[in-house]
Each structure stands twice: as C-alpha cells, then as structure tokens.
Amino acid sequence: MKIGELAKRSGLSAYTIRYYERIGLIPYADRCRSGHRDYDASILVWIQFLDRLKTTGMPIRDMLHYAALRERGPATEAERQALLERHRAKVRAHVDDLIACLDVLEHQDRRLCRPTTEDDRP
Amino acid sequence: MKIGELAKRSGLSAYTIRYYERIGLIPYADRCRSGHRDYDASILVWIQFLDRLKTTGMPIRDMLHYAALRERGPATEAERQALLERHRAKVRAHVDDLIACLDVLEHQDRRLCRPTTEDDRP
DNA sequence: TGTTGACTTAGAGCGCGCTCTAACCCCTAG
DNA sequence: CTAGGGGTTAGAGCGCGCTCTAAGTCAACA
C-alpha cells in the first residue's frame, strides 16, 4: 500500500503521514525500489490507536513518548500501561468538566445572554 | 478593581485579559484618571461564561460572534440561544466520542501496546 | 525625594499541529 | 514518446491562542 492509499484508509492526509514519520510517531516505512513508501496493512491499527489518543487530547509529545517505549519492546509494557492509565484519568476528569459545563450552559444561559448594560450578577 | 486583581480573581493572566479586550471578547474597560483599567465585579460573570465556552472547546472566533450579538442587545437573544444550542450539541457529540475512545483504550490496549515487530492485527 | 512595583501601549514571538511549496523522480496509458 | 498522475525531499508558512518585550507613566511608601 502506497501513501495515497494509506491516507484514504486512515483518514490522515499524506502530508500528515509523512510528518508523523519524520517526527517518529509512525515507524520509518520500507521504500519500494523507486523510493516510494510501501505500507503493510498493520500500520492502520497503530494509526487508529494514535487517532484515539489524539481524539482524547493527548499531545504529540506524549504520543512520542509512548511510541518510543513501544519501539523498545515488551520490557516497557508496564510503563506504557501506566502512561495510558494516567492519560485515561485525565480524560475522565476532562469529561466530567465538560459535563459540568454543559449542565451550566443548559440552565444558566438566559441570564448570561443579556447585554452588558444589564445586571449580569446572580 | 484593577487588572492585576481581576487576573487573580478570574484565573486569566493580565496579558490574556488585555488580549481579550483588544480582540473584542471582553468589553473595553473604563480607565481611571491614570489610564489604568478599572473593572466592575460584574465582568467576572462574563469571564466565567467565556471560560465555560473555552473549556467546552468553542473557538475564539465563535465566542466573538456571541459577544458581538450580546453587544447588540436583547433583540439578538434568539440567535444567541441557537448558537449556544448548536455548540452544546457539538459538545455532547464530543463527550460521546471521548467516552467511546476511553472505552476502547480501557479494553484494547494490551494488544496495541505490543511492539511493532509483533502482529498487531485483530 | 527617590525607588519600587503595578500599570499602559504596540507589536513581536512562541508552541502546537499540521499544511503546503518547490523542485525533482518514476511509472503507466495512450 | 510524451503527458499525467502518482510519489520523493527539505524546509517554509499558517492558524490558533496566547505570552512576552520594550519603553514609558503613575501612585504609594520609606
């Protein structure tokens, strides 16, 4: 699979895939004899995982940390689990924040929508 | 209340408060005779509201849109309600995404934590 | 009266995560 | 044989949301 095909299948742009390779977020791809990247379908699983980390707000530098541990093999598994668990805890806390904000925005916005010239205090 | 005090009370930096004024996100503050901004406590309610929009991921350009409608007074209330409702819908969808991702990260990570040299396919 | 420290402005700089450009190469279809 | 549509690289540029700098003003206190 060449980069255009991977872009279609993964939802990333070819630009982004090359960028991720450059910074070390996805492994250096084998090149075919004309120098083009040639991907195995298994890369999609890794990209999907990265995508979930991204969706849940993990910064690239942390994904790089995870990717580096992964490159070092099974010996780093405990550390990777710990990293993920800390991330999940942050995400759960963020979800709680979002829900709390949503709740306020549902129930308080009438008062807060009034123009500045009126009294906005509770 | 001067800007330093407002910064402490609102959690924003003085830099950010000035920036928000410059771009029109908070109203132009009255200046005392030495030219320093002098805030009324009611500004805190607006800043807290903005903060909730920010926490829930609304981009500044949309907050500016809301702020502009607010400046135009009560006539724009329906439009502001609609804007907020669209935002809340996006936030609810995002929360659902986060929860779905969390669920996968809880239950699938053992497989995905293995190094590249192993078979990562399901 | 001098010194500290909080304030003012316009505008530059930064970290993030891409996104695109320029100049080039290679393969295949017509 | 040539045109088109993919790919390659290094490096520049962009949109976002601040964050800071420089140079200056002002008020309060020892």
Side-chain angles (χ1 to χ4, degrees):
Chain A
M1 178 171 32
K2 281 187 288 178
I3 199 168
E5 179 70 12
L6 179 60
K8 265 178 219 153
R9 289 209 207 170
S10 68
L12 298 176
S13 73
Y15 293 142
T16 303
I17 294 170
R18 290 193 201 98
Y19 167 68
Y20 280 1
E21 181 183 294
R22 230 187 307 176
I23 65 174
L25 202 49
I26 60 184
Y28 186 84
D30 291 338
R31 305 303 201 259
C32 68
R33 85 205 127 72
S34 55
H36 295 189
R37 287 168 182 83
D38 190 14
Y39 291 99
D40 186 285
S42 66
I43 193 71
L44 283 165
V45 178
W46 176 238
I47 290 178
Q48 194 178 32
F49 177 66
L50 290 177
D51 207 54
R52 273 193 260 271
L53 295 181
K54 183 166 78 175
T55 297
T56 51
M58 183 185 283
I60 280 183
R61 92 186 79 87
D62 293 1
M63 298 190 211
L64 284 173
H65 182 192
Y66 187 96
L69 290 173
R70 182 173 177 266
E71 290 294 320
R72 284 174 44 207
T76 64
E77 191 156 326
E79 197 175 344
R80 280 178 274 153
Q81 289 297 328
L83 195 159
L84 277 185
E85 181 45 36
R86 283 194 300 277
H87 177 62
R88 285 191 299 254
K90 280 182 201 164
V91 179
R92 283 188 290 261
H94 183 52
V95 167
D96 290 348
D97 280 359
L98 289 179
I99 289 172
C101 280
L102 260 184
D103 200 56
V104 175
L105 291 175
E106 288 282 0
H107 298 103
Q108 272 201 350
D109 52 18
R110 297 210 166 274
R111 189 158 43 69
L112 289 150
C113 284
R114 282 185 283 138
T116 11
T117 48
E118 300 176 26
D119 181 8
D120 272 336
R121 275 161 293 186
Chain B
M1 177 170 33
K2 282 187 288 180
I3 199 169
E5 179 70 13
L6 179 60
K8 265 179 219 153
R9 289 208 208 169
S10 68
L12 298 176
S13 73
Y15 293 141
T16 303
I17 295 170
R18 289 192 202 98
Y19 167 69
Y20 280 1
E21 181 183 294
R22 231 187 308 177
I23 65 174
L25 201 50
I26 60 183
Y28 185 85
D30 291 337
R31 305 303 201 259
C32 68
R33 89 206 124 71
S34 56
H36 295 190
R37 287 167 182 84
D38 190 14
Y39 291 99
D40 186 285
S42 66
I43 193 72
L44 282 165
V45 177
W46 176 239
I47 289 178
Q48 195 178 32
F49 177 66
L50 290 177
D51 208 55
R52 274 192 261 270
L53 295 181
K54 183 166 79 174
T55 297
T56 52
M58 183 184 283
I60 281 182
R61 91 186 80 86
D62 292 1
M63 298 190 211
L64 284 173
H65 183 192
Y66 187 95
L69 290 173
R70 182 172 177 266
E71 291 293 321
R72 284 174 44 207
T76 65
E77 189 156 327
E79 197 175 342
R80 280 178 275 153
Q81 289 298 326
L83 195 159
L84 277 184
E85 181 45 35
R86 285 195 299 279
H87 177 61
R88 285 191 300 254
K90 280 183 202 164
V91 178
R92 283 189 290 262
H94 182 52
V95 167
D96 289 349
D97 280 359
L98 288 180
I99 288 171
C101 279
L102 260 184
D103 199 57
V104 175
L105 290 175
E106 288 282 1
H107 298 103
Q108 271 202 351
D109 52 18
R110 297 211 165 274
R111 191 158 41 70
L112 289 149
C113 285
R114 281 187 280 136
T116 12
T117 47
E118 300 177 27
D119 182 8
D120 272 337
R121 276 161 292 189

